[in-house]
Amino acid sequence: MTDMIKQFAELHIPGEPIILYNIWDAGSAQVAVRSGAKAVATGSLSVAGAQGFEDGEKLPFEFALTNAKHIVAAVDVPVSIDLETGYGADAATVGVNAQQMKDAGAAGLNLEDQDLSAGGLLDVSAQAERVKAAADTGLFINARTDLFIQTPLPDHDDTLAQKALERCSAYADAGAGSFFIPFAMDEKLISNICEKASLPVNIMMMPDGPSMSRLAELGVSRISFGPGPWKAAMAAFEAEALKILTDQA
């Protein structure tokens, strides 16, 4: 397992980003690996949706853990699990849950800083404690900030980038391995964050955002796709189902 964690960490190279076409179960993980994936990563919305739940830790932790075990058993590449806010009201519980994911064979975790109960973001120091609890297990932690998600696009500016960098620094000190800024699309801001961040930077592909090749040029180390792959798969399934069932009627 230590080898998988090390292998996963080494795939985060500025300018040569690891591409994570996010999966949701063992079957989709196998498809990704057959297609050339060097590692696989779940997206919480996709995993929850595939089981009939909404995102936001509505999927029971036990379901997420069992799903992780199935994925790890199905592929021979590093597996990263989106654990949302860690399924815990405090850092200690987050640490326990992270250890269970490590015991299941995961190499990494996504851990986000939104406050699911009160809204907004968790205090930087409080989130750093949660990141540390997860990182202390030895897992590679992709520390996500929801700053860009919760801030309207017109306000994605240098001030927001600086706030992101401050969170990055705190999460790096807590032991995170990379820094995830979903919904960041402005090339100048992405470049600035990549240049100044104390961690490798993860960007999520967006319809109106930079291309993968451009993100590499900007210094990104990890490119992920969030719920996009699952939504595309379900849209194709629905279109075919509608066609077949409508013809049958």
Side-chain angles (χ1 to χ4, degrees):
M1 176 48 55
T2 301
D3 289 343
M4 281 292 189
I5 297 172
K6 182 175 182 291
Q7 181 180 333
F8 189 50
E10 291 175 348
L11 290 171
H12 293 69
I13 304 171
E16 299 179 30
I18 172 66
I19 308 300
L20 296 170
Y21 193 68
N22 295 85
I23 53 95
W24 53 93
D25 60 10
S28 57
Q30 290 178 327
V31 171
V33 172
R34 288 201 302 269
S35 301
K38 297 177 181 179
V40 295
T42 64
S44 64
L45 187 152
S46 308
V47 172
Q51 297 297 323
F53 291 88
E54 293 183 359
D55 198 17
E57 297 184 9
K58 299 296 190 296
L59 177 78
F61 177 76
E62 292 73 19
F63 283 38
L65 183 61
T66 298
N67 189 51
K69 292 177 181 178
H70 290 164
I71 294 169
V72 169
V75 296
D76 58 359
V77 299
V79 175
S80 183
I81 300 296
D82 185 350
L83 201 58
E84 300 192 68
T85 69
Y87 280 83
D90 52 52
T93 305
V94 171
V96 169
N97 293 338
Q99 184 62 52
Q100 290 189 71
M101 284 294 178
K102 184 181 181 183
D103 293 342
L109 294 179
N110 263 33
L111 201 63
E112 63 197 48
D113 60 10
Q114 70 164 311
D115 189 331
L116 287 176
S117 58
L121 300 181
L122 291 167
D123 177 77
V124 177
S125 59
Q127 180 62 10
E129 291 179 3
R130 299 164 75 87
V131 170
K132 183 179 186 304
D136 281 350
T137 66
L139 287 168
F140 184 93
I141 307 301
N142 188 37
R144 167 179 143 174
T145 183
D146 281 17
L147 274 169
F148 286 84
I149 293 178
Q150 297 189 6
T151 303
L153 188 60
D155 296 327
H156 287 194
D157 54 19
D158 291 337
T159 299
L160 190 66
Q162 183 56 42
K163 290 180 180 179
L165 286 167
E166 291 169 1
R167 285 186 175 259
C168 177
S169 179
Y171 302 160
D173 289 344
S178 58
F179 183 55
F180 185 20
I181 44 174
F183 284 38
M185 293 185 287
D186 182 273
E187 292 190 7
K188 179 183 176 183
L189 295 184
I190 292 172
S191 177
N192 180 41
I193 291 173
C194 287
E195 180 181 347
K196 297 178 180 178
S198 48
L199 292 171
V201 175
N202 177 192
I203 295 292
M204 185 168 74
M205 288 296 295
M206 302 289 290
D208 298 323
S211 65
M212 288 196 296
S213 60
R214 182 59 181 147
L215 288 173
E217 292 172 352
L218 297 173
V220 172
S221 300
R222 172 171 171 164
I223 296 174
S224 53
F225 284 74
W230 178 74
K231 288 182 177 180
M234 291 303 99
F237 180 90
E238 184 174 9
E240 189 69 10
L242 283 170
K243 177 182 176 182
I244 291 171
L245 298 175
T246 300
D247 287 348
Q248 184 184 52

